[in-house]
Amino acid sequence: APRCSRPHRFACIRLGTSPPPQAEAMTTPGVWDASAANFEMKRKSSFSLFTAGTSRPRPATGAEEKGEHEKLWNLMANYKANDVDSVQKDVVSHVEYSLACTRFGFSKEDAYRAASLAVRDRLLESFNDTNAWYSQQDVKRGYYLSAEYLLGRAFQNALVNLDLEPAFKEAMMGLGFELEDLYPFEADPGLGNGGLGRLAACFLDSMATLSLPCWGYGIRYSYGIFKQDIVNGWQVERPDYWLPQAGP
């Protein structure tokens, strides 16, 4: 299954314009200058600055956008806000409507899943805007194929790269949960092992950091490589059932 090169590291950019000049601080050419790409989108400090009034870029897809789909565009005109109250509302909404749990009684694992879905919502906004810009600019794309990807857990990594960890920490604390207690509930993706998988993951991370339009392709292992147990001093290999632990 295709995997994007760490979409949480992408920056949203203003649609309908040519790539801005290369930033002097970057030593390797990228597709755009992330620091000047869009109003509040300033890489690390980007998503945390979003409020309900922040408008999304609108691609010029043809005359139909002013016709039957105009209402759709208007409803999707703004990014999700990242103030504490908005984050809490998103988390509680996912508890009931995505996880089918009662909002008056849910476990720490349910809280992790709801919070991670709220983070994914914000990743998708950047992911969709970035790919729309790639399509409009008709950029040359790169594809990286590997049998393994040792990606590691994504929840905290995404929060840090979006600069949203403080807001989510305060939001979850207001709901009665410590964010640090939720991180262990994420399953480590069983997609790789050792140096090859880690190297492949680093390539994807570098591609995203440099704003390169690249995708990674790999194998979606159902049971991972293996899970190691030590029994009577001996290594015992067992299947790694990582997929049943639902998470975005």
Side-chain angles (χ1 to χ4, degrees):
R3 299 182 64 85
C4 179
S5 56
R6 298 295 180 91
H8 58 270
R9 297 293 298 276
F10 281 124
C12 295
I13 33 64
R14 190 184 306 278
L15 301 180
T17 61
S18 58
Q22 179 65 38
E24 296 181 1
M26 292 183 64
T27 57
T28 305
V31 176
W32 66 78
D33 173 10
S35 65
N38 197 5
F39 45 98
E40 292 186 86
M41 292 298 297
K42 301 294 185 182
R43 187 62 78 172
K44 284 287 186 179
S45 61
S46 58
F47 277 79
S48 60
L49 298 178
F50 277 1
T51 65
T54 305
S55 299
R56 303 183 66 177
R58 181 169 175 170
T61 56
E64 69 275 5
E65 69 178 65
K66 295 184 178 180
E68 58 182 307
H69 301 306
E70 181 67 20
K71 181 65 174 181
L72 175 63
W73 282 111
N74 291 336
L75 291 173
M76 299 177 67
N78 296 319
Y79 290 105
K80 280 186 170 293
N82 293 312
D83 57 280
V84 172
D85 186 58
S86 297
V87 170
Q88 289 176 335
K89 289 178 180 178
D90 285 345
V91 170
V92 172
S93 177
H94 279 301
V95 166
E96 184 161 16
Y97 300 114
S98 298
L99 303 178
C101 298
T102 170
R103 66 182 69 185
F104 302 108
F106 54 97
S107 66
K108 286 185 178 180
E109 186 171 3
D110 295 329
Y112 150 69
R113 292 175 180 171
S116 59
L117 286 168
V119 175
R120 187 184 68 171
D121 291 344
R122 288 151 175 82
L123 290 174
L124 286 174
E125 291 177 340
S126 177
F127 178 78
N128 289 335
D129 286 350
T130 299
N131 278 306
W133 190 82
Y134 283 157
S135 297
Q136 182 176 340
Q137 298 298 318
D138 192 24
V139 299
K140 188 180 293 294
R141 298 172 181 261
Y143 299 91
Y144 184 78
L145 177 64
S146 176
E148 299 182 25
Y149 287 98
L150 190 58
L151 299 170
R153 295 172 177 173
F155 181 37
Q156 186 177 14
N157 192 29
L159 283 172
V160 170
N161 281 297
L162 296 177
D163 195 28
L164 289 179
E165 193 172 30
F168 269 75
K169 183 175 182 178
E170 184 177 348
M172 296 310 297
M173 188 178 299
L175 297 176
F177 296 94
E178 294 289 341
L179 192 58
E180 290 77 7
D181 294 338
L182 306 184
Y183 292 143
F185 286 102
E186 181 179 7
D188 203 330
L191 300 174
N193 183 43
L196 174 63
R198 186 58 227 154
L199 179 63
C202 286
F203 278 140
L204 296 188
D205 203 25
S206 297
M207 293 171 189
T209 300
L210 295 174
S211 304
L212 301 178
C214 299
W215 288 77
Y217 284 85
I219 301 173
R220 188 172 184 259
Y221 299 103
S222 297
Y223 301 106
I225 304 300
F226 67 84
K227 188 173 184 179
Q228 174 184 280
D229 290 332
I230 303 299
V231 179
N232 297 325
W234 293 90
Q235 173 180 292
V236 178
E237 299 85 13
R238 307 185 191 279
D240 180 13
Y241 299 100
W242 71 281
L243 281 176
Q245 303 180 45

Short mmCIF file of all heavy atoms in Angstrom, two decimals, residues 3-32:
data_model
loop_
_atom_site.label_atom_id
_atom_site.label_comp_id
_atom_site.label_asym_id
_atom_site.label_seq_id
_atom_site.Cartn_x
_atom_site.Cartn_y
_atom_site.Cartn_z
N ARG A 3 2.44 4.74 0.90
CA ARG A 3 2.59 5.52 2.13
C ARG A 3 3.21 6.86 1.77
O ARG A 3 4.17 6.92 1.02
CB ARG A 3 3.46 4.80 3.16
CG ARG A 3 2.90 3.48 3.60
CD ARG A 3 3.79 2.86 4.66
NE ARG A 3 3.82 3.68 5.86
CZ ARG A 3 2.93 3.62 6.82
NH1 ARG A 3 1.92 2.78 6.73
NH2 ARG A 3 3.03 4.38 7.90
N CYS A 4 2.66 7.92 2.29
CA CYS A 4 3.18 9.24 1.98
C CYS A 4 4.43 9.50 2.79
O CYS A 4 4.58 9.00 3.89
CB CYS A 4 2.12 10.30 2.27
SG CYS A 4 2.68 11.96 1.95
N SER A 5 5.33 10.29 2.25
CA SER A 5 6.57 10.60 2.95
C SER A 5 6.29 11.61 4.06
O SER A 5 6.48 12.80 3.92
CB SER A 5 7.61 11.15 1.98
OG SER A 5 7.10 12.28 1.30
N ARG A 6 5.78 11.09 5.18
CA ARG A 6 5.52 11.87 6.36
C ARG A 6 4.72 13.14 6.09
O ARG A 6 5.26 14.25 6.11
CB ARG A 6 6.82 12.24 7.06
CG ARG A 6 7.61 11.03 7.55
CD ARG A 6 6.84 10.28 8.65
NE ARG A 6 7.62 9.14 9.11
CZ ARG A 6 8.47 9.16 10.12
NH1 ARG A 6 8.63 10.28 10.79
NH2 ARG A 6 9.12 8.08 10.48
N PRO A 7 3.40 13.02 5.79
CA PRO A 7 2.63 14.22 5.45
C PRO A 7 2.61 15.27 6.54
O PRO A 7 2.40 16.43 6.27
CB PRO A 7 1.23 13.66 5.18
CG PRO A 7 1.19 12.35 5.88
CD PRO A 7 2.60 11.81 5.80
N HIS A 8 2.85 14.85 7.82
CA HIS A 8 2.78 15.84 8.89
C HIS A 8 3.92 16.84 8.82
O HIS A 8 3.89 17.85 9.51
CB HIS A 8 2.80 15.15 10.25
CG HIS A 8 4.00 14.28 10.49
ND1 HIS A 8 4.01 12.96 10.15
CD2 HIS A 8 5.22 14.57 11.00
CE1 HIS A 8 5.18 12.44 10.47
NE2 HIS A 8 5.94 13.40 10.98
N ARG A 9 4.94 16.57 7.99
CA ARG A 9 6.03 17.51 7.87
C ARG A 9 5.83 18.46 6.70
O ARG A 9 6.62 19.36 6.46
CB ARG A 9 7.35 16.74 7.67
CG ARG A 9 7.72 15.85 8.85
CD ARG A 9 8.04 16.67 10.08
NE ARG A 9 9.19 17.54 9.85
CZ ARG A 9 10.45 17.13 9.99
NH1 ARG A 9 10.71 15.89 10.33
NH2 ARG A 9 11.44 17.96 9.78
N PHE A 10 4.77 18.25 5.90
CA PHE A 10 4.53 19.13 4.76
C PHE A 10 4.04 20.49 5.24
O PHE A 10 3.46 20.64 6.29
CB PHE A 10 3.47 18.53 3.83
CG PHE A 10 3.98 17.45 2.93
CD1 PHE A 10 3.38 16.21 2.93
CD2 PHE A 10 5.04 17.68 2.09
CE1 PHE A 10 3.84 15.21 2.10
CE2 PHE A 10 5.50 16.70 1.24
CZ PHE A 10 4.90 15.46 1.26
N ALA A 11 4.23 21.48 4.41
CA ALA A 11 3.67 22.80 4.67
C ALA A 11 2.59 23.08 3.65
O ALA A 11 2.71 22.71 2.49
CB ALA A 11 4.77 23.88 4.58
N CYS A 12 1.52 23.74 4.07
CA CYS A 12 0.50 24.17 3.12
C CYS A 12 1.04 25.38 2.37
O CYS A 12 1.77 26.19 2.91
CB CYS A 12 -0.78 24.57 3.85
SG CYS A 12 -1.59 23.21 4.69
N ILE A 13 0.66 25.53 1.13
CA ILE A 13 1.17 26.63 0.34
C ILE A 13 0.03 27.31 -0.40
O ILE A 13 -1.05 26.77 -0.55
CB ILE A 13 2.25 26.13 -0.66
CG1 ILE A 13 1.98 24.70 -1.15
CG2 ILE A 13 3.59 26.06 0.03
CD1 ILE A 13 0.78 24.52 -1.90
N ARG A 14 0.26 28.52 -0.80
CA ARG A 14 -0.76 29.30 -1.50
C ARG A 14 -0.93 28.75 -2.91
O ARG A 14 0.03 28.65 -3.67
CB ARG A 14 -0.34 30.76 -1.56
CG ARG A 14 -1.46 31.68 -2.05
CD ARG A 14 -0.95 33.09 -2.18
NE ARG A 14 -0.34 33.58 -0.97
CZ ARG A 14 -1.02 34.07 0.06
NH1 ARG A 14 -2.34 34.11 0.03
NH2 ARG A 14 -0.38 34.51 1.13
N LEU A 15 -2.14 28.34 -3.22
CA LEU A 15 -2.40 27.75 -4.52
C LEU A 15 -2.44 28.83 -5.60
O LEU A 15 -2.80 29.98 -5.36
CB LEU A 15 -3.72 26.99 -4.50
CG LEU A 15 -3.80 25.86 -3.46
CD1 LEU A 15 -5.15 25.20 -3.55
CD2 LEU A 15 -2.70 24.86 -3.66
N GLY A 16 -2.08 28.42 -6.82
CA GLY A 16 -2.20 29.32 -7.94
C GLY A 16 -1.00 30.22 -8.15
O GLY A 16 -1.05 31.16 -8.93
N THR A 17 0.11 29.96 -7.43
CA THR A 17 1.30 30.78 -7.60
C THR A 17 2.47 29.89 -7.94
O THR A 17 2.47 28.70 -7.67
CB THR A 17 1.62 31.57 -6.32
OG1 THR A 17 1.85 30.63 -5.27
CG2 THR A 17 0.45 32.47 -5.94
N SER A 18 3.50 30.48 -8.52
CA SER A 18 4.71 29.73 -8.82
C SER A 18 5.54 29.60 -7.56
O SER A 18 5.39 30.39 -6.62
CB SER A 18 5.51 30.44 -9.91
OG SER A 18 5.84 31.75 -9.48
N PRO A 19 6.43 28.60 -7.48
CA PRO A 19 7.23 28.42 -6.28
C PRO A 19 8.04 29.66 -5.96
O PRO A 19 8.64 30.27 -6.84
CB PRO A 19 8.14 27.24 -6.66
CG PRO A 19 7.42 26.54 -7.77
CD PRO A 19 6.70 27.61 -8.51
N PRO A 20 8.07 30.07 -4.68
CA PRO A 20 8.84 31.25 -4.30
C PRO A 20 10.33 30.98 -4.41
O PRO A 20 10.76 29.85 -4.55
CB PRO A 20 8.44 31.49 -2.83
CG PRO A 20 7.61 30.33 -2.43
CD PRO A 20 7.33 29.49 -3.61
N PRO A 21 11.15 32.02 -4.33
CA PRO A 21 12.60 31.84 -4.45
C PRO A 21 13.14 30.94 -3.36
O PRO A 21 12.56 30.82 -2.28
CB PRO A 21 13.13 33.28 -4.30
CG PRO A 21 11.97 34.15 -4.61
CD PRO A 21 10.75 33.41 -4.19
N GLN A 22 14.27 30.32 -3.63
CA GLN A 22 14.90 29.42 -2.68
C GLN A 22 15.36 30.18 -1.43
O GLN A 22 15.95 31.25 -1.52
CB GLN A 22 16.11 28.75 -3.35
CG GLN A 22 16.88 27.80 -2.45
CD GLN A 22 16.02 26.62 -2.08
OE1 GLN A 22 15.26 26.14 -2.91
NE2 GLN A 22 16.11 26.17 -0.86
N ALA A 23 15.06 29.61 -0.26
CA ALA A 23 15.49 30.25 0.98
C ALA A 23 16.99 30.11 1.14
O ALA A 23 17.56 29.08 0.86
CB ALA A 23 14.78 29.59 2.17
N GLU A 24 17.63 31.18 1.62
CA GLU A 24 19.07 31.15 1.76
C GLU A 24 19.53 30.14 2.79
O GLU A 24 20.62 29.58 2.71
CB GLU A 24 19.57 32.55 2.13
CG GLU A 24 19.32 33.59 1.05
CD GLU A 24 19.85 34.94 1.47
OE1 GLU A 24 20.41 35.03 2.58
OE2 GLU A 24 19.72 35.90 0.70
N ALA A 25 18.68 29.88 3.81
CA ALA A 25 19.09 28.98 4.89
C ALA A 25 19.16 27.53 4.43
O ALA A 25 19.82 26.72 5.05
CB ALA A 25 18.13 29.11 6.07
N MET A 26 18.44 27.19 3.37
CA MET A 26 18.43 25.81 2.90
C MET A 26 19.62 25.56 2.00
O MET A 26 19.89 26.32 1.07
CB MET A 26 17.13 25.51 2.16
CG MET A 26 15.89 25.51 3.04
SD MET A 26 14.40 25.04 2.13
CE MET A 26 14.78 23.36 1.68
N THR A 27 20.34 24.49 2.28
CA THR A 27 21.51 24.17 1.48
C THR A 27 21.18 23.21 0.34
O THR A 27 21.96 23.05 -0.58
CB THR A 27 22.59 23.54 2.36
OG1 THR A 27 22.06 22.36 3.01
CG2 THR A 27 23.06 24.51 3.43
N THR A 28 20.01 22.56 0.42
CA THR A 28 19.59 21.63 -0.62
C THR A 28 18.30 22.16 -1.23
O THR A 28 17.38 22.53 -0.50
CB THR A 28 19.35 20.23 -0.04
OG1 THR A 28 20.53 19.80 0.63
CG2 THR A 28 19.01 19.24 -1.14
N PRO A 29 18.19 22.21 -2.57
CA PRO A 29 17.01 22.77 -3.21
C PRO A 29 15.73 22.03 -2.82
O PRO A 29 15.73 20.81 -2.69
CB PRO A 29 17.30 22.62 -4.71
CG PRO A 29 18.78 22.50 -4.80
CD PRO A 29 19.22 21.80 -3.55
N GLY A 30 14.66 22.76 -2.60
CA GLY A 30 13.36 22.18 -2.35
C GLY A 30 12.37 22.69 -3.37
O GLY A 30 12.69 23.52 -4.22
N VAL A 31 11.13 22.21 -3.28
CA VAL A 31 10.11 22.64 -4.23
C VAL A 31 9.67 24.07 -3.95
O VAL A 31 9.38 24.84 -4.84
CB VAL A 31 8.90 21.68 -4.16
CG1 VAL A 31 7.79 22.16 -5.07
CG2 VAL A 31 9.33 20.28 -4.56
N TRP A 32 9.63 24.46 -2.67
CA TRP A 32 9.26 25.82 -2.32
C TRP A 32 10.00 26.24 -1.05
O TRP A 32 10.59 25.43 -0.35
CB TRP A 32 7.76 25.97 -2.13
CG TRP A 32 7.22 25.21 -0.94
CD1 TRP A 32 7.29 25.57 0.37
CD2 TRP A 32 6.56 23.96 -0.98
NE1 TRP A 32 6.70 24.62 1.15
CE2 TRP A 32 6.24 23.62 0.36
CE3 TRP A 32 6.18 23.09 -2.00
CZ2 TRP A 32 5.57 22.45 0.69
CZ3 TRP A 32 5.52 21.93 -1.67
CH2 TRP A 32 5.22 21.62 -0.35
#
